[in-house]
Amino acid sequence: MPPQTRRSSFPEVVIDRDTESEESSSDDEDVEDEEEEFEADEEATVDLPEETMEEASESKKKGKTPITISLKKFCKVCKKTGHEAGFRGATYIDCPMKPCFLCKMPGHTTMTCPHRVATEYGIVPAPRKNTTNPLEFVFQRQLQPRVPPIKPAHVIPDQVHCAVIRYHSRRVTCLEFHPTNNNILLSGDKKGQLGIWDFGKVHEKTVYGNIHNCILNNMKFNPTNDGSIYAASSDGTISCTDLETGISLSVMNLNPNGWEGPSSWRMLYGLDVNSDKSVVLVADNFGYLYMADIRSNNVMSKPTLIHKKGTKVVGLNCNPLQPDLLLSCGNDHFARIWDMRCLEAGSSLYNLEHKRVVSSAYFSPLTGSKILTTSLDNRIRVWDSIFGNLDSPSREIVHSHDFNRYLTAFRAEWDAKDSSESLVVIGRYISENYDGAALHPIDFINISTGQLVAEVMDPNITTISPVNKLHPREDILASGSSRSLFIWRPKKLDIAQPREEKRILLCEEVSKKRSKKHGDNSDDDSDNDVFRNKDNGLKQKKLPSKSSSYGSRKSRQL
DNA sequence: AGTAAATGGGGCC
DNA sequence: TGGCCCCCCTTTAC
């Protein structure tokens, strides 16, 4: 089964040409000699077997000195022959020449990576490095495991309850549940649009398209008025939008003079609201923090450099219990803890070092005493106590979320309903073969042990789900995958479903396209596109978009 | 169905 | 520091 077995089947090709020195233009020295002949020009004469004929058909003319090459297939990753990386069916075969794609260590591939078999592999379950007190040691070691968790077991929302397919016109970038209305989900996208979806009445959805004109990076409800929401965008503005009217107030604009080139265009990424201090905090792509007063919506003070100058600050988070504590993270590979009473460049209380970009950093939602970060080095890190030793994380959990491009960054998020502050949700980048389909699950991880508690997926969702949010009060997961939104609920609870045909909505644009294609003139036949759900689980019926992406993935295999 | 493009981070000079 | 090139499991439109 290893790729090497394919070696024998590579077609042999003979190419004629006058001299080899003439155009072997020195650039690729690491390429093996055989592959170089791929560049064979029209001078060459070739004897080709079967399927490679077209490549050389035009070159069968002038008789020149024949050289023999083999048109070996080569690995698209390392460009060497003898193996091939890529999908084989629904399973991805790694390039053996590279370090493990998952844990980044050399010597094995993702397929045999111990972290793939068990997420808790190599995780220290109860680090003792923070204390030298023997009493505490005894407590932690012997008594604490016997203290029953207040919440008996994690309830996992593992079944798609309803969805809006292709709701946004660009990929979803952030999600937020309404603080008081349990059925309202807000979503932001790459175009800057703000979606408001009442998933209780599935079909009730709105998209406000004129608030921002590029990527909506983060949003947070106004603590003094849950009918309005603050959002930070790469257009350099913070908006405060009334959800009823869609009327938006621009609280801050960092590019008042418009576009003056990329070196001056400021983009806003991290955003949080500190209700105790009544401020909205935002951070930009040059390392600066800004604040605005919620009551007056006026910009306060001057910006503070909180990360390496010129680097993006992608996340801000206020401590839920200690209003003076602020956590930031960004592209300078650090998460930093700040005291808001003395905010100035270089005055951070702690700097939590990472190997790569830190996509998110959050205080635990109830006690605020733990910190959870997601970094592009494929590790989730946990600091068990902000009052303890912050020199190194308590645990590093290997998890696949280092993405190439074109996706919203993955962020591990807490379950605010879990009183033990140990359950976390995060989407997975690499796929797993589930019944012959390559699916990207959403992982629930116990960060106390590193254990994978659950991986949820649906055969209809073939795209990656980087954006996930757990409901603050109910056992509901909202996920954003590409342009679509999904609401997940626990299978066991057997909650009354919305009317079947209303469960999965398809956006107009797509249903129109389909009607045209099928020569269908009825406009509101979107029920035809609804995934029918008999008994449990969605059926395998696929949307055109889905099946095409699925097909293209398949076609990529060799 | 096959392909190009969008576009972010990292490393190197 | 800035420009350039590379890059491993994408998604979408044409």
Side-chain angles (χ1 to χ4, degrees), chain A residues 23-31:
Chain A
E23 47 78 87
S24 55
S25 46
S26 68
D27 38 358
D28 272 0
E29 36 289 283
D30 58 334
V31 178

Coordinates of all heavy atoms in Angstrom, one line a residue, chain A residues 23-31:
Chain A
E23 N 19.8 23.7 -23.3 CA 18.8 24.4 -22.7 C 18.5 24.0 -21.2 O 17.6 24.4 -20.6 CB 17.5 24.4 -23.5 CG 17.0 23.1 -24.0 CD 16.4 22.2 -22.9 OE1 15.2 22.3 -22.6 OE2 17.2 21.4 -22.2
S24 N 19.4 23.1 -20.7 CA 19.2 22.8 -19.3 C 19.7 24.0 -18.5 O 20.8 24.0 -18.0 CB 19.9 21.5 -18.9 OG 21.3 21.7 -19.3
S25 N 18.8 24.9 -18.3 CA 19.2 26.2 -17.8 C 19.4 26.3 -16.3 O 18.9 27.2 -15.7 CB 18.2 27.3 -18.3 OG 16.9 26.8 -18.0
S26 N 20.1 25.3 -15.8 CA 20.8 25.5 -14.5 C 19.9 25.8 -13.3 O 20.4 25.7 -12.2 CB 21.9 26.5 -14.6 OG 21.3 27.8 -14.7
D27 N 18.7 26.2 -13.5 CA 18.0 26.7 -12.3 C 17.6 25.7 -11.2 O 17.7 26.0 -10.1 CB 16.7 27.5 -12.7 CG 16.0 26.8 -13.9 OD1 16.5 25.8 -14.4 OD2 14.9 27.3 -14.3
D28 N 17.2 24.5 -11.7 CA 16.7 23.6 -10.7 C 17.7 22.5 -10.4 O 17.7 21.4 -11.0 CB 15.4 22.9 -11.3 CG 14.2 23.7 -10.9 OD1 14.3 24.7 -10.2 OD2 13.1 23.2 -11.2
E29 N 18.6 22.7 -9.5 CA 19.6 21.7 -9.3 C 19.0 20.5 -8.4 O 19.5 19.4 -8.6 CB 20.9 22.2 -8.7 CG 21.0 23.3 -7.7 CD 20.7 24.7 -8.3 OE1 21.5 25.2 -9.0 OE2 19.6 25.2 -8.0
D30 N 18.0 20.8 -7.6 CA 17.6 19.7 -6.7 C 16.6 18.7 -7.5 O 16.3 17.7 -7.0 CB 16.9 20.3 -5.5 CG 15.7 21.2 -5.9 OD1 15.8 21.7 -7.0 OD2 14.8 21.3 -5.1
V31 N 16.3 19.1 -8.7 CA 15.4 18.2 -9.4 C 16.2 17.1 -10.0 O 17.3 17.3 -10.5 CB 14.7 19.0 -10.6 CG1 13.9 18.0 -11.4 CG2 13.9 20.1 -10.0

